[in-house]
């Protein structure tokens, strides 16, 4: 299965009639493996900041999580594994696997919990596969 299929079929799937607005799988080095149309272009320093937070949990809390220049307030996640951000009625979830970052961005009516479930489920599966 191609990386694009993971984005199209697993990240952009319907959850109770809702779906992510944007999704991507990005290597920990910042190289985009696959993304949905319109996914914001992440800057190298944004990916670097995310990786730093996974190694030093809490480092993004004072400055926020940035994806494509959009700032998300960092909310409770799982140190070293998941970063969650909130912005108005939407937000983002970033799940770290062995080699990649799974990123989901959502807006209402999708809920934070639905976004977390979609992103983290795929991330857990990829970790089980050694990716």
């Amino acid at each position: 299965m191609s990386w694009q299929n993971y984005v199209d079929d697993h990240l952009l799937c319907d959850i109770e009639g809702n779906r992510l607005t944007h999704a991507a799988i990005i290597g920990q080095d910042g190289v985009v493996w696959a993304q949905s149309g319109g996914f914001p272009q992440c800057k190298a320093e944004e990916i670097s900041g995310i990786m730093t937070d996974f190694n030093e949990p809490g480092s993004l809390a004072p400055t926020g999580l940035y994806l494509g220049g959009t700032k998300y307030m960092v909310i409770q996640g799982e140190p070293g594994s998941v970063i969650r951000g909130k912005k108005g009625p939407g937000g983002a979830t970033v799940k770290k696997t062995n080699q990649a970052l799974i990123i989901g961005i959502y807006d209402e009516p999708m809920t934070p919990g639905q976004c977390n479930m979609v992103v983290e489920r795929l991330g857990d599966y990829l970790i089980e596969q050694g990716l």
Side-chain angles (χ1 to χ4, degrees):
M1 182 180 285
S2 78
W3 291 114
Q4 192 60 50
N5 286 41
Y6 281 108
V7 170
D8 296 341
D9 300 341
H10 297 283
L11 291 175
L12 296 177
C13 62
D14 254 22
I15 300 291
E16 298 171 20
N18 301 321
R19 63 178 48 209
L20 294 172
T21 308
H22 301 294
I25 301 173
I26 299 176
Q28 292 182 7
D29 58 1
V31 174
V32 176
W33 295 4
Q35 65 185 15
S36 61
F39 187 86
Q41 182 66 44
C42 291
K43 300 174 182 75
E45 59 268 19
E46 293 172 343
I47 300 301
S48 174
I50 289 168
M51 290 307 299
T52 298
D53 192 82
F54 282 127
N55 295 323
E56 303 166 25
S59 65
L60 282 180
T63 58
L65 165 67
Y66 283 86
L67 295 170
T70 299
K71 180 180 179 178
Y72 296 86
M73 179 179 67
V74 177
I75 56 175
Q76 162 264 336
E78 295 172 26
S81 175
V82 179
I83 299 170
R84 298 184 182 114
K86 187 86 172 115
K87 179 176 175 57
T93 301
V94 181
K95 169 75 175 179
K96 178 180 174 254
T97 71
N98 299 332
Q99 299 175 20
L101 302 172
I102 314 301
I103 303 173
I105 299 173
Y106 70 94
D107 286 303
E108 284 186 334
M110 184 172 235
T111 66
Q114 289 171 327
C115 176
N116 297 340
M117 184 177 66
V118 169
V119 172
E120 293 174 38
R121 187 170 34 190
L122 178 59
D124 290 340
Y125 170 78
L126 293 176
I127 289 169
E128 288 171 12
Q129 302 307 307
L131 303 168

